[in-house]
Each structure stands twice: as C-alpha cells, then as structure tokens.
Amino acid sequence: MRLSKRIEVIEGSKTARFIPLVEKLRQEGRSVISLAIGEPPVDTPEPVIAATIDALNGQKTRYSDMAGLPQLRAALAREFPGCGPENIGIFNGSKQALYAAFQAICDPGDEVIVPVPCWVSFSEQIKLAGGRPVFVPTADHQLDLDAIQRAINTKTRAILVNSPNNPTGAVYPRQDLEKIARMAQKHDLFLVADEAYHFFVYDELSYTSLYALADVRDRLIVTRSFSKHYAMTGFRVGYTVAPAAVTAAMVRLHGHVTGNVCTFAQHGALAALDMDTDLLIRRRADLQRKRDLAFDQVSAMFPCIRPQGAFYLFPDISDHLHRGETSGGFAARILEKTGVAVVPGEDFGLDGHVRICFAAPEEQLMEAFNRLRGVL
C-alpha cells in the first residue's frame, strides 16, 4: 500500500522538530529554556475566559454557522471599512485560514511568490493546493521589489505578503505595499496577506495593512488571528477578510473539513473584541521592552537587524558554525550544550540564522543569553 504523492511531498512542521529532544532533556532532569515557540507569555484575558465559561454554562456547545457566529463576523466587519459579514470567514486559527485561501485560488501548477525567509507552513500549504511556491529573497529582511517583479510569469497566481514578518520581525512600509499592489493589478494576481502579528508593531512605527489600499480589495485575502493578539493560542480562532465570492468558496471547503469553529471558543473571541484596549497596549509595551533587552543581548553575540514587530529576533550565526554545519546543526548543538531551544533559519528558507522568540519571562531571557555566551 502506498500513500498519495500529494502527502509524500509534504514535510512536517519544522518548528516542532526539536520538541522531542526538549522533552528528552527535561525528562533527564536538564533545565531547558525554550525560545522556539511563538506564544505570548501571558494569561488569556479574564473577559475572554469568563465569556467562554458563560457560553459553556449556557449550553452553547452545538453546531453553529460554518462561516462563523453571525455576531462575531459582524463585529469583525466593522473593523474593516467597506466590509460586511459576507466578507468574513472564521477558521481554526489563521493557519487553517491560509490553507483554505490557497485551496480556493490555486490550480495544479499555479505559482505563488513567497518572500523568504518565511513562515514554515506557507510552502507546504501551497503544495497541498497543487501549487508551487516560488521563493524570492529579501534585502535586509525588506521586500526586494525588483526580484518579485522578475519572478512573475504566466503561471503566477498570487503574491504572499507577511507583515510583520515571521521570522524576522520586519514591517513593510506603505510605499512598498503600494508597489506590490500595482504589480498584482497589472498581472491580475491575488494578494494573500498574513497579518497575524498586525498589533505587535513597535517604536510608534506606522503600520499599513494591505486592506488599507482600497483599489486591491477585489483581489485581496487578509488572514488574522486571535491567537497572538489576545493570547488565545489554544482557542484556535482565526479569520479572513476577502471578496464575498472568495469567502464563500473557502467556507464551502471549511464545511467539508471541520464544519464550524468551536462554538464556545467563538464566544470568547467575541468578548475579546469588546475588551478595553489598555491591557493589550500595556502588553505590547512590555514586549517592546523585552525586544530591546533581547536585541542588546543578541547583537553583542551575533549580527542582527533590529525587528520592528512580531516576537522574534533573527540573528546571523554564520561566524559560529562549525565546518559543514548548518543552522539546524547549530541549534541542536546549542540545545544539547546549554538547554536553550531556538529554531534554525534553514527552516524558514535562510540558513546561517536562527529564530529567537523574545516573548518569554525576562529572567528566562537573561538566563538563556548567559548560557549562550558561556558556550560561544
């Protein structure tokens, strides 16, 4: 018996590959500090927990609308000018939202342009849709517009934009997004915008969503998530903003894959939208402070571009590689010697780097950097 060719070419989640080794070290009694997983180091806000419990107590545990709770879709639509509930789809995290987007727009052989380094699931989701990811390098973590233009051909179906970027923390300026938008219009392409980290932009930097460019909304699919913004990673609630016909297509797929997103989790998400923003702003300020602390520590050891958003540093560790060693080998060596877990840059399409998540308790960050200095 054989498996399908489609599934054989798909790699497992690379960011999870060190989890067994981390667990092994912990079972051996080793102290392990994980700076590998991108998860807020704070509790889910109390209003979200309370609303979820109320939903459970109220027996809101049945099937619900496959597109998402109508009141949740309406509340999200109000955040996007010119958008209605018919443009909103609720999915199991932004990961499933992106999967649905590529399934809806890609035919076998279609190409999707993906700037690298990039999040590990983009390429596999495109391949699962029968498409081919076309990787285009960035310049100092910013979009290389000329390289993107050169990559466009008759097979190109979409351009993917991830800002703030995972793994680099880069935030793309409005003028570059406007140029990408013009390319999409000129060549009749879709734009897929992964904006999972849109709230986490630092130094009072002006953030532009592709949705702000009204002329491309007819070809734009925005994906966002409650996971990072509201520390709701386990709730698995994400959403898309897209043309109504595209949303309807993604929801049709959703209906055959999982049906509705967990009903009571959606009630928690609805409560999140009604929260006072002061708590979220304070949490962002704390992450900016940790960004500064982590950047100072890391840049004393490795060349590193200061991230403008998200949770990550992406330093160049090339000078510390042993002969023939990749960033994966470096990460494994560091984990074994220091008990500090980071993610190899090769997993994101750029070897010679590692991703370090600074969304961790401050004492853990400082201990991790002290251990790294001791080995380097």
Side-chain angles (χ1 to χ4, degrees):
M1 300 293 288
R2 64 172 179 83
L3 298 176
S4 70
K5 294 179 181 178
R6 179 182 61 255
I7 205 66
E8 290 284 11
V9 301
I10 301 304
E11 298 184 49
S13 177
K14 295 175 181 176
T15 52
R17 64 174 167 160
F18 286 111
I19 290 176
L21 181 54
V22 168
E23 290 306 312
K24 176 178 177 291
L25 293 175
R26 284 176 172 159
Q27 289 173 8
E28 293 172 355
R30 293 276 302 276
S31 169
V32 177
I33 300 173
S34 179
L35 303 182
I37 304 300
E39 187 167 38
V42 292
D43 291 337
T44 303
E46 183 55 37
V48 175
I49 298 295
T52 306
I53 292 172
D54 287 346
L56 283 165
N57 288 333
Q59 291 293 318
K60 294 174 180 176
T61 57
R62 304 287 183 169
Y63 292 132
S64 57
D65 192 319
M66 285 186 294
L69 293 178
Q71 59 269 45
L72 179 57
R73 292 161 59 208
L76 287 167
R78 289 193 289 271
E79 298 188 3
F80 295 89
C83 178
E86 68 278 7
N87 301 110
I88 304 291
I90 309 298
F91 296 91
N92 291 286
S94 60
K95 181 176 285 192
Q96 194 206 7
L98 284 159
Y99 173 84
F102 293 125
Q103 291 289 331
I105 67 174
C106 287
D107 282 322
D110 283 346
E111 295 181 353
V112 179
I113 293 174
V114 183
V116 289
C118 65
W119 181 52
V120 298
S121 290
F122 290 149
S123 60
E124 309 313 294
Q125 291 182 341
I126 293 165
K127 287 189 283 186
L128 281 168
R132 187 174 80 89
V134 176
F135 300 116
V136 175
T138 51
D140 293 331
H141 302 337
Q142 290 293 322
L143 297 173
D144 185 333
L145 299 172
D146 290 337
I148 291 173
Q149 178 62 63
R150 289 194 299 271
I152 296 173
N153 60 50
T154 57
K155 295 182 179 179
T156 306
R157 185 64 168 160
I159 302 172
L160 188 147
V161 177
N162 174 208
S163 176
N165 179 264
N166 175 9
T168 67
V171 176
Y172 304 143
R174 184 184 181 101
Q175 60 267 30
D176 286 358
L177 296 179
E178 289 173 342
K179 291 176 182 177
I180 291 290
R182 288 197 289 272
M183 289 182 202
Q185 290 174 306
K186 178 180 178 181
H187 298 281
D188 193 23
L189 306 177
F190 280 102
L191 286 170
V192 180
D194 177 358
E195 298 182 352
Y197 296 91
H198 71 282
F199 181 75
F200 299 101
V201 176
Y202 308 120
D203 305 319
E204 299 183 357
L205 185 70
S206 176
Y207 172 73
T208 299
S209 165
L210 269 169
Y211 192 86
L213 310 182
D215 289 348
V216 294
R217 291 175 189 167
D218 63 338
R219 62 186 66 250
L220 174 64
I221 304 170
V222 174
T223 68
R224 290 187 179 181
S225 173
F226 286 83
S227 295
K228 317 294 186 180
H229 194 160
Y230 297 102
M232 294 169 60
T233 50
F235 279 65
R236 310 313 303 137
V237 183
Y239 59 97
T240 57
V241 186
V246 177
T247 299
M250 290 189 289
V251 170
R252 285 203 305 275
L253 172 67
H254 185 46
H256 293 293
V257 175
T258 66
N260 63 277
V261 171
C262 174
T263 302
F264 49 87
Q266 291 188 70
H267 283 279
L270 188 60
L273 296 178
D274 287 336
M275 282 176 49
D276 190 317
T277 59
D278 286 349
L279 171 64
L280 302 175
I281 291 171
R282 289 197 302 272
R283 289 182 172 183
R284 181 173 59 192
D286 183 62
L287 279 168
Q288 178 173 318
R289 182 183 61 81
K290 289 178 178 177
R291 186 278 312 263
D292 293 340
L293 181 153
F295 178 76
D296 288 345
Q297 294 288 320
V298 168
S299 59
M301 294 182 275
F302 314 106
C304 187
I305 297 173
R306 188 183 188 89
Q308 301 164 306
F311 300 160
Y312 312 110
L313 301 169
F314 199 63
D316 185 337
I317 48 90
S318 301
D319 290 343
H320 294 275
L321 295 177
H322 293 170
R323 183 182 297 276
E325 187 178 46
T326 67
S327 58
F330 175 87
R333 173 163 58 89
I334 288 297
L335 178 57
E336 183 65 38
K337 288 189 173 184
T338 70
V340 176
V342 297
V343 186
E346 64 191 72
D347 292 355
F348 304 100
L350 187 61
D351 201 3
H353 294 69
V354 293
R355 190 190 76 174
I356 299 173
C357 177
F358 57 78
E362 184 174 328
E363 61 274 14
Q364 287 189 16
L365 284 174
M366 294 306 298
E367 174 63 19
F369 298 139
N370 287 335
R371 293 182 189 184
L372 287 173
R373 271 194 298 272
V375 167
L376 295 177

